[in-house]
Amino acid sequence: MLNLALPPQLANVVTRLPAAPPSLAFSAVANRLLWPALKTLDWQALAGRRYAIRVKDLGLNLRFTVTQSGFAADSGAPDLTISATARDFLLLLARREDPDTLFFSRRLVSEGDTELGLTVKNLLDALDPDTVLRQLPAPLARAAQRWMAA
Amino acid sequence: MPAEFERSTTIALDLICPAGSLVSLKAAIDHGADAVYMGFRDNTNARAFPGLNFDEAQAAEGLRYAHDRGRKVLLALNTYPQADTWSRWTGAVDRAAKLGMDAVILADAGLMRYAVKQHPQLRLHLSVQGSATSYEAVNFYREHFGIQRAVLPRVLSLPQVENVVKHTDVEIELFGFGGLCVMVEGRCLLSSYCTGESPNSAGVCSPAKAVQWTETPAGLESRLNGVLLDRYGKNEKAGYPTLCKGRFNVGGETYYAIEEPTSLNTLDLLPDMLKIGVAAIKIEGRQRSPAYVTQVTKVWRAAIDAVKKNADAFKPTPAWQAELNKLSEGQSHTLGAYHRPWK
Ligand code: SF4
């Protein structure tokens, strides 16, 4: 079993941060690491929609939109909010768990526009993990690969 | 009473896995599926969800991937064509033939006729949506359209399945695992009643645009076009937002009035299915993610290999069952109608 829980002191600090800097940081990191792979997908129908990712155990609320040029922090009311723990988000990211499975067992909560959620899920599912790994800096790609195979 | 058929084929318990995307297709093949089934990106198949399924180039790549590894690809064309869009369905049959699909899974008799006439070499499977529950019905499709395989609806008990197998030379495919659609396959109008769209014509039960999930103090609520389907308490497992699996107030009592949200899981019945002569086992779930396809394919590959090696000693391992239970919607799994005392 992986232990991804943050030390409580750190979680406390993260919880107290206002929403904007984490959202900015998230967009910057996502643009650098993920966008090169994600930009190959067809975002047309999804451009301009607002998303929120709530990492429950860290008290993080990441709000952003996706434009033709990548992620951008956004503070408007989200069309779609996805909530889960950090560990479950990582399991999803590594394709080790299926979102429906987490949803049925109430570990993943999706609120807002259901069709938007489904479209995003299907879009990401269709993305070849190798495409993402190839675009990552080598040490990170190796770590991710180990984690996906574990 | 027609003669009992000798099985001419040696196919037994082929594992047929779902693929909603190329990534899922590769996952299924890599983990031991004998064949995958897929749909095109429109309502010619019963999983017409946004962003799911294959365009022509992806289908071609999927076929290449499967064929290079000696596996097969089946195309689900299992919705009922509408009069004004008939050519969309015939176009899909033409594309399937051109791409070299190993078979198309059809429900509509008109479309079968078209396929037989235009593409006599194309192998036809009768979809579960065709709702053929007797060998007379299966043999009718055989005589008129030359179908090679029929997927039986999940309403028959195993002795009834055995009876069908005995009286036809059409290969029989059964559902082994996944979400259950209640006992009116190919005929269900519940979703249509509530949203104007149902799987048989629009290719989707409970279209996502009509579904709403809300966390309330009383629990997680699912609604379809405003109609409350269910409210899940804090630790209750949720299910798909379909009308058949909702809890309704009937005569002052609130309960699953149509069906409980359980998943079908027939691992226990594999030795019987092998003995009866079932040709293939189908796994439900083209709408699910590659992670699901990987997990479910691994378990079923191991189980089918084990039962073929020694059917008498076969017993599903607790690890397999735990893995499958985790993937299921609702509270538990069921052997479905295959295992029931009543008929
Ligand atoms: S409402 Fe239920 S039984 Fe009817 S098509 Fe949908 S899932 Fe199947």
Side-chain angles (χ1 to χ4, degrees):
Chain A
M1 183 61 103
L2 288 144
N3 186 2
L4 292 167
L6 287 192
Q9 307 88 315
L10 184 55
N12 257 332
V13 175
V14 175
T15 315
R16 290 213 199 94
L17 292 173
S23 297
L24 279 172
F26 169 78
S27 294
V29 172
N31 277 333
R32 170 129 165 58
L33 297 180
L34 299 176
W35 189 247
L38 290 177
K39 73 174 175 211
T40 57
L41 301 174
D42 182 9
W43 289 95
Q44 202 112 61
L46 305 172
R49 307 301 300 272
R50 298 191 166 108
Y51 309 90
I53 292 182
R54 282 184 44 219
V55 188
K56 288 192 292 195
D57 49 341
L58 303 189
L60 273 180
N61 191 3
L62 308 168
R63 290 159 66 165
F64 60 93
T65 176
V66 183
T67 68
Q68 297 297 342
S69 52
F71 294 85
D74 188 289
S75 54
D79 297 304
L80 177 71
T81 302
I82 305 282
S83 320
T85 62
R87 178 172 189 277
D88 284 341
F89 273 124
L90 286 174
L91 286 171
L92 283 176
L93 210 60
R95 307 254 169 126
R96 302 226 337 234
E97 284 294 3
D98 166 72
D100 289 20
T101 302
L102 295 187
F103 185 80
F104 292 148
S105 56
R106 310 289 295 278
R107 283 155 64 186
L108 182 85
V109 178
S110 156
E111 286 174 285
D113 186 333
T114 310
E115 187 171 39
L116 180 62
L118 202 61
T119 310
V120 171
K121 175 190 98 110
N122 289 333
L123 194 70
L124 295 178
D125 277 350
L127 183 68
D128 193 331
D130 289 341
T131 316
V132 183
L133 290 175
R134 263 201 306 276
Q135 306 274 2
L136 288 179
L140 205 57
R142 274 197 299 275
Q145 224 151 8
R146 268 200 304 277
W147 153 251
M148 288 171 83
Chain B
M1 182 97 175
E4 297 203 352
F5 284 93
E6 273 299 312
R7 305 272 93 211
S8 54
T9 118
T10 51
I11 298 182
L13 302 187
D14 258 10
L15 178 59
I16 318 291
C17 293
S21 68
L22 207 45
V23 181
S24 288
L25 178 145
K26 291 178 180 171
I29 301 281
D30 292 349
H31 292 96
D34 295 300
V36 296
Y37 63 108
M38 61 158 75
F40 286 141
R41 291 210 148 172
D42 53 26
N43 60 356
T44 57
N45 73 90
R47 293 287 186 280
F49 294 113
L52 202 69
N53 295 321
F54 292 70
D55 62 26
E56 210 171 313
Q58 292 164 333
E61 193 181 334
L63 275 158
R64 216 170 17 248
Y65 193 87
H67 288 170
D68 283 352
R69 289 156 184 81
R71 315 308 166 75
K72 297 199 158 107
V73 179
L74 320 177
L75 182 79
L77 278 173
N78 54 352
T79 48
Y80 287 87
Q82 307 296 297
D84 55 344
T85 47
W86 170 248
S87 60
R88 186 182 305 154
W89 274 262
T90 53
V93 172
D94 295 340
R95 243 177 305 152
K98 192 181 92 192
L99 281 161
M101 287 288 170
D102 294 292
V104 285
I105 309 169
L106 302 179
D108 183 76
L111 208 56
M112 282 183 202
R113 183 158 176 268
Y114 175 86
V116 171
K117 285 197 158 162
Q118 299 297 319
H119 308 286
Q121 81 295 349
L122 187 60
R123 188 181 152 101
L124 305 186
H125 290 185
L126 176 66
S127 164
V128 65
Q129 300 297 115
S131 244
T133 50
S134 63
Y135 64 79
E136 287 92 342
V138 171
N139 286 336
F140 172 88
Y141 285 104
R142 171 66 146 187
E143 278 160 40
H144 291 272
F145 310 111
I147 61 158
Q148 311 257 13
R149 182 180 294 178
V151 187
L152 293 190
R154 289 156 275 195
V155 301
L156 299 181
S157 66
L158 271 187
Q160 289 172 323
V161 171
E162 185 170 19
N163 193 40
V164 175
V165 174
K166 269 197 185 132
H167 295 103
T168 181
D169 60 354
V170 173
E171 296 167 7
I172 295 300
E173 180 172 317
L174 294 182
F175 273 91
F177 181 77
L180 269 177
C181 190
V182 280
M183 316 276 172
V184 280
E185 283 162 301
R187 298 168 192 167
C188 184
L189 291 173
L190 285 172
S191 172
S192 200
Y193 174 70
C194 213
T195 69
E197 293 184 19
S198 80
N200 300 317
S201 51
V204 55
C205 176
S206 292
K209 59 176 183 282
V211 174
Q212 209 189 352
W213 291 95
T214 327
E215 287 281 1
T216 75
L220 175 66
E221 291 183 355
S222 59
R223 285 175 192 273
L224 187 62
N225 227 356
V227 176
L228 182 63
L229 298 180
D230 209 343
R231 185 183 292 132
Y232 303 96
K234 207 146 189 52
N235 297 313
E236 271 184 313
K237 263 187 109 176
Y240 282 117
T242 59
L243 266 167
C244 62
K245 287 161 192 156
R247 269 181 284 201
F248 302 102
N249 184 322
V250 183
E253 214 189 313
T254 303
Y255 65 109
Y256 296 109
I258 306 174
E259 193 197 26
E260 291 201 23
T262 52
S263 282
L264 179 72
N265 177 8
T266 64
L267 271 190
D268 286 319
L269 303 178
L270 273 177
D272 298 310
M273 292 179 171
L274 182 69
K275 198 170 87 222
I276 287 173
V278 170
I281 302 280
K282 175 170 234 149
I283 308 295
E284 186 270 349
R286 283 193 288 127
Q287 74 283 8
R288 308 267 312 240
S289 293
Y292 165 91
V293 175
T294 301
Q295 293 161 342
V296 83
T297 306
K298 271 189 192 166
V299 170
W300 280 84
R301 181 72 274 158
I304 290 174
D305 287 348
V307 80
K308 282 187 174 174
K309 211 157 146 204
N310 187 348
D312 293 331
F314 177 83
K315 204 174 171 328
T317 71
W320 293 342
Q321 298 288 25
E323 181 82 352
L324 294 181
N325 271 342
K326 189 192 75 180
L327 297 168
S328 306
E329 66 173 324
Q331 314 296 325
S332 60
H333 69 251
T334 168
L335 292 172
Y338 297 131
H339 184 76
R340 60 175 151 89
W342 44 273
K343 279 185 191 159

